[in-house]
Amino acid sequence: MTLTAPRGSAELIRAEAPVLAHNYHPLPVVVARAEGAWVEDVEGRRYLDLLAGYSALNFGHRHPALIEAARRQLDRVTLTSRAFHHDGLAGFAESLAALTGQDMVLPMNTGAEAVESAVKVARKWAYEVKGVPEGAATIVVAAGNFHGRTTTLVSFSTDDEARAGYGPYTPGFRVVPYGDADAVADAVGDTTAAVLIEPIQGEAGVVIPPEGHLRAVREITRRAGCLFVADEIQSGLGRTGTTLAVEHEDVVPDLVLLGKALGGGIVPVSAVVGRRDVLGVLRPGQHGSTFGGNPLATAVGTAVTELLATGGFQRRARELGAVLDADLTALHGHGVVAHRARGLWAGIDIDPAVGTGREIAERLLREGVLVKETHGSTIRIAPPLTIGEDDLHRALTALRTVLAA
Ligand SMILES: *Cc1c(COP(=O)(O)O)cnc(C)c1O
């Protein structure tokens, strides 16, 4: 197809329909460039990005230090495969282990791959270390979870839209209500390999478990002799005001899953980080990934750990998070029914009489603010941690305007 003239937003959106699988229902905005917390569409209209790539853009679009790290790496070597060593692997693993207080790192690419890897490691650990009879290992998970889109991960999703039509489903998972420590305690036993939860459920609408829940899960898993696996793919890396969300309860899981922001908004980078006696069950040939730990990924991933090592982004998430929380509280009774916030991350339940989450997102788009509904009448706010306080206020003013209309 020859293009005679650049195509506008409406034309580009129309052009997608016949050729692009319809697995998303995007807002009608066609992004052409971005910087910091701002994106610009094909016609040059500017929008504040309060979704930040579902927290893949914690450092904003095109953070200079991350772009520089990627540029430098592009000029040297970008891919080796793990058949060879490369000069960025050791540094990446050392800095990520140090940042998270863990021993070892298994680099992968997407979040779903990190979760899949943890499922494999937990099962192998159960058979080889705990002594669970072959094929009997179970993993306890929570209702409302989101861990990714693979056949195994949707097998234990409780969201019918994500799960239906993809069977036969992978067995070996047991679902308990989220935030219910008694249910976790009842579900674990001799054949339990792990309890796998999100410390805060992102896709469910930024659902925060009751105070003390993570400590309770840590204690239950310790007593039951099974692993505590924390999926911090969305909650981790500064979003909640700490490097990891489990730090809010001073908890150290056996495995922590990272992704999204680990790639700096440039490349997909994920990792399983954990204890040596757990990740140590993997031996050569038993797991792998062509792209996992590639030189470009580790260059960007290392630069991400360096940004977080300063503590400045975590502090900013706490400070701006307090502003966000206060502004949202002021909207209760003005179109907002309830909200949940931790750091610079909030789930907002909109009064259904005012509109669905989708409708609010569409109205905010017209006001120059990008958000996305999670489901029903809940929208999620997760701006880049680099957003200016004036821009955050601007976005919240737009929300107030939209809710009042
Ligand atoms: C996004 C997400 C995943 C999946 O990550 P992908 O990179 O989309 O595969 C897994 N777990 C959580 C908590 C997530 O938010």
Side-chain angles (χ1 to χ4, degrees), residues 288-375:
S289 162
T290 302
F291 292 98
N294 72 72
L296 185 59
T298 56
V300 172
T302 304
V304 164
T305 64
E306 284 164 1
L307 290 182
L308 286 167
T310 67
F313 291 90
Q314 296 89 324
R315 190 176 332 113
R316 197 155 173 77
R318 284 197 298 277
E319 287 166 2
L320 287 186
V323 172
L324 175 66
D325 193 34
D327 281 16
L328 291 177
T329 302
L331 287 176
H332 285 210
H334 302 277
V336 169
V337 173
H339 83 279
R340 300 158 296 280
R342 181 63 57 83
L344 201 46
W345 201 23
I348 309 172
D349 300 334
I350 304 293
D351 181 351
V354 174
T356 62
R358 174 77 191 189
E359 286 162 353
I360 299 301
E362 285 171 354
R363 286 181 222 160
L364 275 171
L365 173 69
R366 290 193 284 276
E367 297 289 324
V369 174
L370 303 182
V371 301
K372 197 80 168 72
E373 76 279 8
T374 55
H375 52 76

Side-chain angles (χ1 to χ4, degrees), residues 178-268:
Y178 185 65
D180 185 339
D182 292 338
V184 175
D186 285 345
V188 297
D190 292 345
T191 58
T192 310
V195 175
L196 163 65
I197 56 167
E198 299 154 83
I200 294 175
Q201 289 188 326
E203 296 307 303
V206 190
V207 176
I208 303 172
E211 168 74 35
H213 181 66
L214 303 176
R215 273 194 303 273
V217 169
R218 176 66 285 184
E219 195 44 41
I220 291 162
T221 49
R222 202 192 313 277
R223 265 191 278 119
C226 67
L227 305 175
F228 179 7
V229 183
D231 181 347
E232 295 249 17
I233 288 165
Q234 195 165 153
S235 60
L237 304 180
R239 173 56 58 193
T240 68
T242 48
T243 301
L244 300 177
V246 288
E247 289 171 45
H248 290 284
E249 294 200 9
D250 288 319
V251 160
V252 181
D254 302 298
L255 296 176
V256 176
L257 316 181
L258 298 171
K260 293 204 164 99
L262 191 55
I266 301 176
V267 281

Side-chain angles (χ1 to χ4, degrees), residues 28-395:
V29 55
V30 182
V31 175
R33 49 184 60 80
E35 174 104 50
W38 289 87
V39 302
E40 196 178 307
D41 74 4
V42 171
E43 281 80 21
R45 288 181 288 256
R46 280 159 51 81
Y47 305 84
L48 265 171
D49 182 0
L50 263 57
L51 179 66
Y54 304 94
S55 287
L57 290 155
N58 280 3
F59 311 100
H61 294 270
R62 300 170 52 249
H63 188 286
L66 302 178
I67 294 292
E68 177 58 25
R71 282 225 173 89
R72 273 201 312 269
Q73 194 61 45
L74 285 172
D75 285 337
R76 290 206 295 119
V77 56
T78 53
L79 194 70
T80 53
S81 87
R82 293 289 304 279
F84 314 119
H85 301 268
H86 70 77
D87 63 3
L89 258 178
F92 172 66
E94 283 166 349
S95 56
L96 190 58
L99 182 75
T100 55
Q102 294 281 357
D103 301 328
M104 274 186 141
V105 173
L106 169 67
M108 299 297 288
N109 310 283
T110 65
E113 284 177 302
V115 186
E116 285 275 351
S117 302
V119 167
K120 288 172 75 177
V121 166
R123 285 177 168 183
K124 203 164 190 300
W125 175 89
Y127 301 130
E128 293 182 4
V129 180
K130 181 168 172 170
V132 173
E134 183 64 34
T138 60
I139 295 178
V140 176
V141 297
N145 71 73
F146 182 84
H147 296 291
R149 301 290 197 168
T150 65
T151 44
T152 288
L153 302 181
V154 300
S155 292
F156 58 87
S157 170
T158 57
D159 173 2
D160 201 49
E161 216 164 30
R163 182 176 192 267
Y166 297 128
Y169 299 108
T170 308
F173 298 93
R174 190 152 167 197
V175 184
V176 299
Y178 185 65
D180 185 339
D182 292 338
V184 175
D186 285 345
V188 297
D190 292 345
T191 58
T192 310
V195 175
L196 163 65
I197 56 167
E198 299 154 83
I200 294 175
Q201 289 188 326
E203 296 307 303
V206 190
V207 176
I208 303 172
E211 168 74 35
H213 181 66
L214 303 176
R215 273 194 303 273
V217 169
R218 176 66 285 184
E219 195 44 41
I220 291 162
T221 49
R222 202 192 313 277
R223 265 191 278 119
C226 67
L227 305 175
F228 179 7
V229 183
D231 181 347
E232 295 249 17
I233 288 165
Q234 195 165 153
S235 60
L237 304 180
R239 173 56 58 193
T240 68
T242 48
T243 301
L244 300 177
V246 288
E247 289 171 45
H248 290 284
E249 294 200 9
D250 288 319
V251 160
V252 181
D254 302 298
L255 296 176
V256 176
L257 316 181
L258 298 171
K260 293 204 164 99
L262 191 55
I266 301 176
V267 281
V269 184
S270 71
V272 181
V273 299
R275 291 208 329 252
R276 183 165 289 106
D277 61 311
V278 181
L279 272 177
V281 299
L282 292 179
R283 286 176 291 278
Q286 297 177 343
H287 188 57
S289 162
T290 302
F291 292 98
N294 72 72
L296 185 59
T298 56
V300 172
T302 304
V304 164
T305 64
E306 284 164 1
L307 290 182
L308 286 167
T310 67
F313 291 90
Q314 296 89 324
R315 190 176 332 113
R316 197 155 173 77
R318 284 197 298 277
E319 287 166 2
L320 287 186
V323 172
L324 175 66
D325 193 34
D327 281 16
L328 291 177
T329 302
L331 287 176
H332 285 210
H334 302 277
V336 169
V337 173
H339 83 279
R340 300 158 296 280
R342 181 63 57 83
L344 201 46
W345 201 23
I348 309 172
D349 300 334
I350 304 293
D351 181 351
V354 174
T356 62
R358 174 77 191 189
E359 286 162 353
I360 299 301
E362 285 171 354
R363 286 181 222 160
L364 275 171
L365 173 69
R366 290 193 284 276
E367 297 289 324
V369 174
L370 303 182
V371 301
K372 197 80 168 72
E373 76 279 8
T374 55
H375 52 76
S377 55
T378 301
I379 58 173
R380 163 182 30 198
I381 305 271
L385 309 181
T386 55
I387 192 172
E389 188 168 341
D390 48 342
D391 283 340
L392 183 61
H393 279 302
R394 187 193 303 243

